[in-house]
Amino acid sequence: MQHHRNRQKSFHTHRSHLKNNQHNLVKHEKETLTSYALSTDGKAIARGEDGIIVFIKDMLENETAKVEIINKKSNYKNAIINKIESPSPHRVTPPCKFTDRCGGCQLQHVSPEVQSELKSRWFFETLKRIGKWDSANINSAEKLLSLIFLKQEHYRRRVRFHFNGKELGFRGSHSNRIVDIDHCLIASLKINEKISFLKDNLIKAFKEIQEKKFGKLMECEIELTECDDEKVVLNIADFQVDQDPNKEICLTIIEKYLTIQNEQIIHLKHSELPRFRLKKQSFIQPHLDCIQLYYQHIKENTDDFFKNIIKNKQDKNQFIAWDLYSGAGIFSPLPYFSGKRFNVDVQCFAVEGIKDAIDSLNINCKNLPVAGIVNDVEVFVDQEFKKKLDPLTQFKDIDIIILDPPRAGAGIEIMQKIVELCSKKSLVMYLACDPASFARDTRVLLEGGFRLKSLNLFDAFGHTIHYEVLGCFERGN
Ligand SMILES: C[S@@+](CC[C@H](N)C(=O)[O-])C[C@H]1O[C@@H](n2cnc3c(N)ncnc32)[C@H](O)[C@@H]1O
């Protein structure tokens, strides 16, 4: 789990990784290729003159280009474009001047509408190929899908810049070198305003560290988060130095130059809680508009669930809701507020691994029936599963689950237990930043008698291959 000071990699390990990456470099091998498909990481796929698959960065489907092979693996090669000979009609001039070197975005050369189309195509391929969803469920997903297109530029409220004493920016697209930038097209405008401050002061901090002989070879990662009160909060996310014992002193020097205070708080606008505050290391949805948007969709589905409960005259009026991987609890009290609109009581539980996030949650949800629990979700679900199996313990089935796991997803085992722990009439809302994890995990819900009720694909990360999916699955209602 993420914590800036105890997560630091050794500087030496990092350097050897850089060397290994350069090991397979093949220079000056050129071919003219025509691509026939686009992989889900945004690279075009072509077959080389020797029959081997070649992945080509920044190339679109059905384009012909002279390409340069940059490395060879056992059964494929990676290439970059030298010259495009027949461009796709969907190709546009990349709006960012750093695009050919910076590894931050992969789709700058693709028109915005086609970026969204590609993402929904990739999503259905993933449901089929990785999730092994059957055709009936794929058909219903196709009918239900609502594609939501968000602002494409200056949208990221959280970014992590690398700095090596000289360059400040993101890692390169085909090397580990830091690409020096003075502007980022996808970072928020407030974050952009901080770039020169950040660079100037990191240069001063590194200079002081060197002059005092605390370290020579250094690299750091600084995380910047835009708050809704117009402030930008800085955090040292990672720091490597060749003289390990001096690390803490060096961090103090950097903090002094960047005016970082340890108790910095991020203020957010929240639909139902007037003052939402979170400690700086808590997770935050990266797109400026996403919190409100995701909240709205989860709320509509939860309201519908209670509406049907009332319509079907079910006598139950005490409900239990879980928010798993809750972070600081943006969604945790939502089922309670929704229940209130339908005159039913909802007891909410939020489970999250980072204590800072749960501390924020408990402050934000003070006086509400929301309990924040610091625990690993796997451990928590397993404990609850054992309670259910034990006739001596009282276990009440769960009615609503919100799941917003990290990229790796929740995993099959947790999902199987969730299916068992949910009541006969229940709602599971799965928000995913990784479509493959979504596809794999939610198949377990479909096999467990849930049916897809609504599906949103949020094209929330313009110019990149990433997107977010919210699938709401219901059983028995
Ligand atoms: C995608 S974020 C979701 C946060 C929250 N839903 C929000 O919108 O603010 C995933 C969260 O899961 C937490 N997490 C990751 N792995 C975990 C685990 N195994 N057990 C508990 N929490 C975990 C992370 O710390 C992070 O806060």
Side-chain angles (χ1 to χ4, degrees), residues 46-223:
R47 210 165 269 285
E49 286 155 9
D50 52 8
I52 293 177
I53 292 288
V54 185
F55 291 102
I56 309 138
K57 186 187 168 301
D58 296 341
M59 189 158 163
L60 280 163
E61 273 169 304
N62 304 319
E63 286 191 320
T64 301
K66 183 173 270 177
V67 307
E68 184 174 343
I69 308 296
I70 54 164
N71 60 40
K72 285 182 183 177
K73 306 283 171 183
S74 56
N75 54 355
Y76 67 91
K77 299 178 198 176
N78 282 307
I80 52 171
I81 296 177
N82 246 214
K83 187 170 182 286
I84 296 177
E85 296 189 345
S86 75
S88 154
H90 306 308
R91 175 170 286 280
V92 293
T93 306
C96 170
K97 61 181 174 181
F98 303 107
T99 192
D100 54 339
R101 287 171 292 136
C102 176
C105 296
Q106 306 81 14
L107 300 179
Q108 295 250 355
H109 57 292
V110 186
S111 71
E113 315 75 58
V114 176
Q115 287 185 26
S116 287
E117 270 174 46
L118 285 174
K119 291 177 191 184
S120 51
R121 199 174 90 195
W122 288 336
F123 175 58
F124 287 113
E125 276 170 23
T126 307
L127 289 184
K128 267 185 226 159
R129 202 166 44 82
I130 296 179
K132 311 252 180 305
W133 278 35
D134 63 27
S135 53
N137 281 312
I138 298 269
N139 284 346
S140 97
E142 278 169 351
K143 281 190 198 123
L144 287 170
L145 184 82
S146 153
L147 180 66
I148 296 164
F149 185 77
L150 279 97
K151 107 172 172 171
Q152 272 222 319
E153 287 169 9
H154 300 304
Y155 59 80
R156 272 199 82 94
R157 68 154 76 233
R158 178 166 277 182
V159 296
R160 213 180 245 215
F161 288 125
H162 300 258
F163 180 71
N164 58 10
K166 210 168 148 217
E167 280 102 10
L168 176 97
F170 302 108
R171 293 243 178 251
S173 51
H174 39 269
S175 85
N176 250 330
R177 290 188 52 182
I178 297 167
V179 177
D180 199 37
I181 59 165
D182 55 12
H183 181 260
C184 170
L185 186 78
I186 62 170
S188 79
L189 291 169
K190 289 266 167 257
I191 287 178
N192 270 289
E193 281 169 17
K194 278 274 176 200
I195 293 179
S196 62
F197 164 86
L198 189 61
K199 190 166 173 184
D200 293 349
N201 285 283
L202 282 172
I203 289 174
K204 286 181 200 153
F206 274 38
K207 194 163 164 238
E208 182 176 331
I209 293 168
Q210 276 174 341
E211 279 170 4
K212 292 188 174 161
K213 303 203 180 345
F214 291 135
K216 216 168 154 197
L217 290 167
M218 290 171 278
E219 259 193 42
C220 70
E221 281 174 47
I222 307 291
E223 192 169 70

Side-chain angles (χ1 to χ4, degrees), residues 1 283 285 325-327 330-331 352-354 375-377 404-406:
M1 223 138 288
F283 173 86
Q285 297 290 350
Y325 309 94
S326 66
I330 286 280
F331 308 129
E352 158 65 43
I354 291 187
N375 204 346
D376 188 295
V377 167
D404 183 9

Side-chain angles (χ1 to χ4, degrees), residues 225-290:
T225 310
E226 177 173 340
C227 313
D228 286 340
D229 61 3
E230 312 260 297
K231 289 203 185 87
V232 173
V233 164
L234 305 186
N235 179 29
I236 305 173
D238 201 355
F239 178 66
Q240 300 134 25
V241 60
D242 53 352
Q243 291 175 36
D244 253 23
N246 295 336
K247 202 178 262 178
E248 285 299 316
I249 310 171
C250 297
L251 282 165
T252 313
I253 294 173
I254 299 171
E255 280 174 355
K256 180 185 76 183
Y257 277 97
L258 298 183
T259 55
I260 292 179
Q261 298 126 28
N262 268 325
E263 268 314 296
Q264 279 165 305
I265 294 287
I266 296 157
H267 292 258
L268 293 180
K269 292 195 181 114
H270 187 281
S271 310
E272 296 183 280
L273 291 173
R275 279 160 54 82
F276 199 90
R277 296 149 55 96
L278 41 107
K279 292 193 174 186
K280 66 182 174 188
Q281 282 183 47
S282 309
F283 173 86
I284 187 167
Q285 297 290 350
H287 194 293
L288 279 169
D289 303 329
C290 272

